Amino acid sequence: MDPEIKELVTNYKPDIVWADGSWVADDTYFDSTNFLAWLYNDSPVKDTVVVNDRWGKDTPGKHGGFYNMADRTNPKKLMEHKFENAMSMDRGSWGFRRDAELWNYLTTWDLIVELVQTVSCGGNILINIGPTADGVINLLFIERLTQFGDWLKVNGEAIYGSKPWTHQNDTITPDVYLKGSCIIVNITYDAKWDSLDKRPLPGWYDEAKVGIFIHWGVFSVPAFDSEWFCYTWAATKQKNVVDFMTKNYKPDFTYQDFGPQFTAELWDPAKWVELFKAAGAKYVVMTTKHHEGFTMWPSKHSWGWNAVDVGPKRDLV
């Protein structure tokens, strides 16, 4: 995973590196601190990149640039540290699923309430959608994101760049002074959390407030149950998933056989950008690799199991 993530950062220069290693193993297993030290000191995005807190099962809510804690975190109280409420428009899945019912989807009103509560407590909101295997966004998602954006066009002044109200008492915080502007350069961060956690969060992220999350991949082909389809079928053998495969596919069918069916043939990235802009989003987080290892870019470390070698035959990142 280390060479893959460095390949992503070097080739695509993202503004956000969003990790989801909060339950598999601790940070030493992922060698997270060494990677972040490279990211902050030597990477091509060292001055602008932001990261979340899911760098091991011992890091959520403790280490990282902004905190996700758990999925759908809406604390409904003022938080001292910058956080992000990563939530999905589908209450039961992050990837597209054909078995969803209307009540599974958040309404426009639900989205607005989540936004206002989150921003007022000092957070950003990351709204997830799951496109289909051929690259289409559900019409219901389009409608509600557009309505959400219409609300932001009227009320955005109270959202973007805003700060939660706090009362500063200089007898409590005597070391807080207005001393003018300064530029600090050549700071080196050690591969230890007490050093990494001192890196200031780049200001653009705090001002953005609204982001779009995209869970898209081979799991969008079966589009059943959730984006964890490979795991719940092959590893945990979840009954409804096993029954689905038994009913619809031959006994020797494998998860890898879904790969060529992930075509993205109707995908129009310009339309996606137009929709996200209309929704008022200021950044986008794309799932570039999920649990089954398929990379959405032509990774030289994932030969034969990436979006250029299989399926779309194009670099989706």
Side-chain angles (χ1 to χ4, degrees), residues 218 221-222 229 233 245 249 253-262:
V218 175
V221 177
F229 188 90
W233 174 35
M245 290 303 299
Y249 295 91
F253 194 92
T254 68
Y255 185 82
Q256 284 71 20
D257 291 327
F258 282 125
Q261 299 178 38
F262 177 50

Side-chain angles (χ1 to χ4, degrees), residues 99-299:
D99 56 321
E101 298 182 21
L102 184 62
W103 63 268
N104 292 129
Y105 298 123
L106 297 183
T107 66
T108 305
W109 174 253
D110 292 331
L111 292 175
I112 293 171
V113 170
E114 283 284 332
L115 170 70
V116 173
Q117 290 178 342
T118 300
V119 170
S120 68
C121 294
N124 284 13
I125 190 170
L126 188 64
I127 303 171
N128 179 76
I129 60 170
T132 66
D134 52 7
V136 174
I137 295 176
N138 185 321
L139 288 175
L140 193 68
F141 291 169
I142 293 175
E143 176 191 62
R144 293 180 182 178
L145 284 175
T146 303
Q147 292 172 346
F148 180 77
D150 289 341
W151 185 89
L152 276 169
K153 289 175 184 176
V154 176
N155 300 283
E157 185 178 358
I159 299 295
Y160 301 116
S162 63
K163 301 281 186 182
W165 184 87
T166 58
H167 179 70
Q168 179 179 324
N169 185 330
D170 287 338
T171 63
I172 297 175
T173 55
D175 56 340
V176 177
Y177 302 103
L178 181 63
K179 300 183 70 173
S181 299
C182 63
I183 298 176
I184 302 175
V185 296
N186 297 325
I187 299 238
T188 299
Y189 298 96
D190 298 328
K192 299 177 181 178
W193 285 119
D194 61 352
S195 175
L196 297 170
D197 288 341
K198 292 177 182 176
R199 179 180 182 264
L201 187 72
W204 73 262
Y205 178 80
D206 183 45
E207 296 172 1
K209 294 299 189 284
V210 181
I212 295 291
F213 210 1
I214 301 173
H215 275 69
W216 192 33
V218 175
F219 48 82
S220 306
V221 177
F224 181 80
D225 189 63
S226 81
E227 72 285 359
W228 285 94
F229 188 90
C230 179
Y231 181 73
T232 55
W233 174 35
T236 63
K237 301 188 185 302
Q238 189 172 300
K239 186 178 184 305
N240 66 320
V241 177
V242 172
D243 290 346
F244 171 81
M245 290 303 299
T246 301
K247 179 180 178 180
N248 295 288
Y249 295 91
K250 296 178 180 180
D252 60 348
F253 194 92
T254 68
Y255 185 82
Q256 284 71 20
D257 291 327
F258 282 125
Q261 299 178 38
F262 177 50
T263 61
E265 61 187 13
L266 300 179
W267 182 49
D268 184 342
K271 284 188 176 181
W272 281 22
V273 170
E274 290 172 3
L275 173 63
F276 302 154
K277 182 178 180 180
K282 302 299 183 182
Y283 62 101
V284 178
V285 176
M286 180 182 185
T287 302
T288 55
K289 188 182 84 166
H290 211 263
H291 70 293
E292 76 312 50
F294 186 88
T295 65
M296 301 288 273
W297 78 98
S299 175

Side-chain angles (χ1 to χ4, degrees), residues 9-159:
V9 171
T10 301
N11 292 350
Y12 300 97
K13 300 175 179 59
D15 293 318
I16 294 181
V17 176
W18 206 101
D20 199 14
S22 60
W23 57 277
V24 180
D26 62 30
D27 65 296
T28 57
Y29 174 84
F30 294 116
D31 198 24
S32 298
T33 55
N34 278 315
F35 166 73
L36 291 176
W38 170 82
L39 187 68
Y40 292 168
N41 295 323
D42 302 313
S43 78
V45 292
K46 62 182 181 180
D47 297 324
T48 56
V49 72
V50 296
V51 304
N52 65 339
D53 61 345
R54 299 186 185 185
W55 297 96
K57 63 183 181 181
D58 51 340
T59 63
K62 297 179 181 178
H63 304 296
F66 60 89
Y67 293 168
N68 285 121
M69 283 80 81
D71 292 342
R72 300 178 175 87
T73 292
N74 181 352
K76 299 182 181 179
K77 65 179 181 179
L78 184 62
M79 302 295 287
E80 294 183 359
H81 196 282
K82 183 68 181 183
F83 74 97
E84 181 183 72
N85 177 3
M87 40 78 71
S88 183
M89 290 185 67
D90 184 337
R91 302 174 196 273
S93 177
W94 298 73
F96 172 71
R97 56 176 180 147
R98 292 174 289 178
D99 56 321
E101 298 182 21
L102 184 62
W103 63 268
N104 292 129
Y105 298 123
L106 297 183
T107 66
T108 305
W109 174 253
D110 292 331
L111 292 175
I112 293 171
V113 170
E114 283 284 332
L115 170 70
V116 173
Q117 290 178 342
T118 300
V119 170
S120 68
C121 294
N124 284 13
I125 190 170
L126 188 64
I127 303 171
N128 179 76
I129 60 170
T132 66
D134 52 7
V136 174
I137 295 176
N138 185 321
L139 288 175
L140 193 68
F141 291 169
I142 293 175
E143 176 191 62
R144 293 180 182 178
L145 284 175
T146 303
Q147 292 172 346
F148 180 77
D150 289 341
W151 185 89
L152 276 169
K153 289 175 184 176
V154 176
N155 300 283
E157 185 178 358
I159 299 295

